[in-house]
Structures are given as C-alpha cells and as structure tokens.
C-alpha cells in the first residue's frame, strides 16, 4: 500500500465505483473503502439501471455485466383501493442494442463493477468503515478508518457514502436530513420461474417490464410503489416520505403487505417465494437539498449529495454521472498539481451544466407540492378511477347521466376554482 494515494473513494456504490473506475483508468492511484463485506452487500435498488450513464464509462458494458432483463415496457398505475387506471409505453427499440435500461441486482452488479475498477488499477478494501475525514489546516488530507493503524492519506477524498452521508455532515456540508428530505423504502424479491414471469407480464423471453404505482399503494402518502421483472424474481417495493410515515404511524412492512394483497397486484406475484427483504432510505430533498459539493481536498457525489430524481425514479444514473464528473475534475486538478476547492470546483460547474442538476432544478418544487397538497394523490386518483368506473360500467344508465353524476361527485369535494388552481400548480411544478 502506498503511503499516500492520489484519491480515496469512500463507498463502493454506483457513484464511488464510477469515480474510481475513471480515475484508475487515467493512471491515478486510487483506493476504494467499503464498509460492507463486499461491494453491493449493503446497496439496495429496485432496480432499474440506465444504459447511457454507464456507457459513458464502459462502452457496451451490457455484453459482460450481470444484468437481469432489458426493460421494454414501462407501465404506470393510478391505484385506488379496488381498481387502477393504467397506462404503459412499450418500445421494440428498447429490446435491441444499445437498449434503454435494465433491471439489475445491485449485489451482483456492484461486485462486477468493483472488479472492473480493480482491473483498471484501483485497490478495493472491504469490511472497513470510514469514521471521519482527516482535516489539516482546513483541508481534507485523508480518512480515519475503524482498522488499527487505519489512517489513509490522499490528495483528494471522494465522499460516495450514500444517503446517510455521515462524512459530509461531519464536515459541515449539510445538517442532518429532515424526515421530509428522505423516503423510507421497503422491498422484497419474490422467486418465480422465468416463463411464469413472461406469461404474467406479456413479455418475450428475456425481456422485462416495470410498473410504477401511485395513490393507494402508499395510502396516499408522497411516494410510489414498484414492481420490476428480473430473470427469475419479481422485485416489489414501496416507499414514502419518512415524515409522513412517522406522522401516520405506518409500519413500512405493513405498507408492503398491503400492496401485495391488492387485487391488481396479487395475481402478478401469486406463488412468488420471498427470498430477500430490504429496507433503505432514498434522498428526496431534490435540488433545494443539494449540499456543498466541493471543499479543499474533498468532493461529494451520488446519494450523499441528494442526487436523486424521485419523479422519474432515477438515482443510479445520477450517481454514476456525478462520480464520473468528479473524477474528471480530480484528473484535471492532478495535472495542475493543486487540490483546493477552487481547482475541484469544475466538478460542481460540470454537474450544474449536466442533465443531473438541470433535471433536479426542473422538478425542484414537485415533491413539496405533493406533500402540501395531498389532494393530488388522495382525491384526484380516486376521482379518475371513479370516472372510468362510471363510464365503463354498462348498466342501462345514459352516458349523459353518468357524466352528470361524475361532475357532481367531483364538485362535492372540490370547487371549479380549486380544480383550476390545482391544475395550474401541477403544471407549474413540472413544466
Ligand atoms: C428501494 C430503492 C429502489 C431504488 N430504485 C432505483 C431504480 O430503480 N433506479 C435508479 O436509478 N435508482 C434507484 N434507487 C436509487 C439508487 O439506488 C441510488 O440513487 C444509488 O444507489 C446511489 O448510489 P451511491 O453510490 O450514491 O450510494 P450507494 O449505492 O448507497 O452506495 C454507498 C456505499 O457507501 C458505503 N458506505 C457508506 N458509509 C460508509 C463509510 N462510512 N465507510 C465505508 N463505506 C461506506 C455503503 O456500504 C455503500 O456501499 C433506489 C433506491 C432504493 C432504496
């Protein structure tokens, strides 16, 4: 082990491994420190991995990475207690190279990604917790680990320690996340034969589908549920803002059981044998919660920097992209031989010019809008279900009468003025 590295990466998740791969590939000496038994051991994702961000790093990675299924169809359900209004988009183009996205198991994928980093020259140290950054004269110069004689030194430390982000909090880059800035998600892997999955989801052999579910699946709390198809497993999960879970005193596993017993969901997962159960936080603070990203000798990437687009359930691609951009800034600083916040600030600049910060900015008020206006999930989704139920139930009542009934029921709960106002606010939050 060298006395000092060019870079230390804390956390072998999507963001940390992306940074390590890029820097090691450019010849920098890099060590990745991971607290889990192996990379991916502690990482949870639904999980849809997007092709484009990974491909920037490893062209045609899908030819060798352990992936589950390319996703060819994305479905969306607006769920009420006994029904759902559903829509979907299916593209044949997504069934062919270069694909759009894939379902993955992070336990497998992260181990493969870490092997690629090691092949590129990075050292991966598992089962080691970084307890703090070593700061000298206002500059991060290394990390203190829980191993005896476990101090390591480097020109730059990349904080890729995930959503809890203990280290950047210690540095004063942000305060403890508020419960409304994180969602608590629980999920299960259910084992089923691949032919059964393909038949139930109407898929060609080897192809995959995703379902995102809004409304009753979270009992109206801000969040979503999901069902993703893997080769021989279905991932099913649900997450909602921690603040609302606490307020409503809901137990997360009860939320998952409720979802699994819904009449729309039950047939899809019938006889699925539970093999794994996970619970994990997801950053939900969005643009307004992004902390300080750069300091002297240090950068923050991925979930640790709140880089998750909850509206589009994108996190892994933001993590990989931020890791890559941080690495590019460090490589540049390495050439200049200086590692203060000024040299490293090209990371922040490039992140702000990338889709990462632009997308977070676009949706910066969306989560807050749903949190402060529960009617979007609690009233409008049931209205939509009720309206379609009325119009599509053939019972001898005229469609004029049905339309009148729908209108009356909606107006009993919301005035025309508040409907217009809600529509405007929703448009403003996503425009
Ligand atoms: C239930 C769920 C479903 C999701 N679904 C999707 C999805 O479908 N698509 C998508 O794109 N995103 C999804 N996400 C989000 C996505 O998983 C994250 O955005 C992404 O994993 C972030 O990567 P990261 O490297 O920043 O953090 P992580 O992947 O969490 O990695 C952080 C790593 O740091 C390690 N670590 C932490 N602290 C220390 C320390 N002090 N010392 C040493 N090691 C440490 C951890 O063990 C971990 O390996 C989902 C998240 C959850 C919870």
């Amino acid at each position: 082990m060298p006395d000092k590295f060019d870079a230390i990466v804390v956390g072998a998740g999507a963001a940390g491994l992306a940074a390590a791969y890029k820097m090691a590939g450019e010849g920098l000496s890099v060590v990745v420190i991971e607290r889990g038994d192996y990379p991916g051991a502690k990482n949870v994702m639904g999980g849809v991995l997007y092709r484009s961000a990974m491909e920037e790093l490893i062209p045609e990675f899908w030819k060798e990475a352990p992936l589950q299924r390319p996703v060819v169809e994305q479905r969306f359900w607006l769920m009420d207690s006994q029904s759902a209004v559903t829509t979907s988009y299916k593209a044949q183009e997504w069934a062919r190279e270069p694909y759009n996205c894939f379902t993955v198991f992070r336990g497998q994928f992260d181990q493969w990604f870490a092997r690629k980093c090691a092949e590129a020259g990075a050292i991966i140290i598992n089962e080691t917790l970084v307890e703090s950054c070593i700061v000298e004269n206002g500059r991060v110069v290394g990390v203190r680990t829980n191993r005896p004689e476990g101090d390591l030194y480097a020109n730059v430390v990349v904080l890729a320690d995930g959503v809890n982000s203990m280290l950047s909090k210690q540095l004063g880059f942000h305060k403890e996340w508020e419960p409304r800035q994180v969602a608590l998600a629980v999920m299960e892997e259910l084992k089923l034969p691949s032919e059964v999955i393909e038949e139930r989801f109407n898929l060609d052999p080897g192809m995959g589908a995703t379902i995102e579910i809004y409304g009753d699946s979270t009992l109206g709390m801000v969040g979503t549920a999901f069902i993703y198809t893997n080769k021989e497993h279905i991932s099913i999960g649900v997450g909602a803002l921690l603040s609302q879970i606490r307020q409503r005193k809901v137990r997360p596993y009860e939320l998952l059981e409720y979802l699994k017993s819904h009449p729309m969901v039950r047939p899809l997962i019938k006889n699925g044998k539970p093999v794994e159960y996970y619970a994990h936080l997801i950053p939900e603070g969005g643009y307004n919660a992004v902390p300080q990203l750069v300091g002297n000798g240090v950068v923050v990437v991925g979930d640790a920097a709140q880089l998750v687009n909850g509206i589009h359930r994108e996190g892994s691609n933001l993590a990989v992209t931020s890791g890559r951009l941080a690495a590019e800034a460090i490589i540049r600083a390495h050439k200049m031989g200086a590692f203060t916040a000024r040299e490293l600030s090209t990371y922040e600049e490039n992140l702000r010019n990338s889709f990462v910060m632009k997308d977070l900015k676009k949706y910066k008020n969306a989560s807050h809008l749903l949190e402060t206006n529960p009617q979007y999930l609690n009233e409008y989704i049931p209205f939509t279900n009720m309206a379609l139920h009325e119009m599509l139930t053939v019972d001898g009542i005229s469609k004029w009468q049905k339309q009148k009934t729908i209108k009356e029921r909606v107006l009993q709960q919301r005035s025309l003025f508040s409907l217009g106002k809600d529509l405007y606010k929703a448009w403003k939050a996503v425009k």
Side-chain angles (χ1 to χ4, degrees), residues 8-202:
I8 295 170
V9 177
V10 184
L17 293 171
Y21 183 81
K22 183 80 193 170
M23 291 187 289
E26 291 288 323
L28 270 61
S29 60
V30 178
V31 60
V32 181
I33 307 175
E34 167 57 45
R35 68 183 168 155
D37 295 350
Y38 55 87
K42 293 200 177 273
N43 298 345
V44 180
M45 195 162 100
V48 177
L49 181 88
Y50 299 90
R51 185 257 311 158
S52 65
M54 270 307 292
E55 204 188 5
E56 292 266 350
L57 279 176
I58 308 178
E60 302 194 340
F61 70 96
W62 58 86
K63 292 191 169 154
E64 53 170 313
L67 306 169
Q68 291 293 312
R69 293 172 182 261
V71 176
V72 295
E73 182 176 6
Q74 303 197 19
R75 302 179 191 172
F76 304 92
W77 291 3
L78 302 179
M79 191 188 257
D80 203 1
S81 62
Q82 294 296 313
S83 62
V85 176
T86 68
T87 177
S88 100
Y89 178 70
K90 189 167 187 172
Q92 280 316 310
E93 198 186 320
W94 291 348
R96 295 190 293 270
E97 291 187 283
Y99 307 105
N100 177 43
C101 55
F102 310 88
T103 50
V104 294
F105 288 144
R106 285 290 299 276
Q108 296 173 356
F109 183 82
D110 290 9
Q111 281 190 79
W112 168 83
F113 200 3
R115 276 199 302 279
K116 297 297 289 180
C117 292
E119 279 164 29
I123 297 172
I124 315 280
I125 303 178
N126 297 316
E127 298 178 76
T128 305
L129 179 80
V130 172
E131 293 175 335
S132 59
C133 291
I134 303 170
V135 183
E136 283 173 8
N137 302 321
R139 197 186 134 190
V140 173
V141 294
V143 298
R144 180 145 299 150
T145 73
N146 63 344
R147 294 205 178 226
E149 297 176 20
D151 290 1
L152 290 171
Y153 291 87
N155 288 327
V156 184
V157 174
V158 178
L159 299 181
D161 52 338
V163 57
N164 290 328
S165 163
M166 183 182 78
L167 300 172
S168 43
K169 193 168 63 197
Q170 280 173 3
L171 292 176
F173 284 14
H174 64 87
K175 297 202 176 85
E176 180 87 39
W177 303 130
E178 293 170 29
R180 60 177 189 81
Q181 290 176 320
V182 284
L184 176 59
V186 287
M187 62 175 282
E188 256 182 18
E189 304 292 355
L190 305 174
K191 192 160 172 54
L192 276 172
S194 55
E195 317 80 68
V196 172
I197 294 175
E198 283 150 13
E199 197 188 316
R200 287 186 190 171
F201 286 81
N202 190 23

Side-chain angles (χ1 to χ4, degrees), residues 390-402:
E390 275 295 320
M391 292 308 268
L392 300 178
T393 303
V394 177
D395 52 7
I397 298 171
S398 80
K399 304 299 183 230
W400 283 115
Q401 181 57 40
K402 283 171 179 285

Side-chain angles (χ1 to χ4, degrees), residues 219 221 241-255:
L219 300 174
M221 292 182 287
L241 287 185
L242 186 59
S243 51
Q244 298 194 334
I245 287 183
R246 281 186 182 164
Q247 225 172 45
R248 301 268 292 267
K249 298 191 170 52
V250 181
R251 291 196 179 91
Y253 70 87
E254 285 173 358
L255 209 55

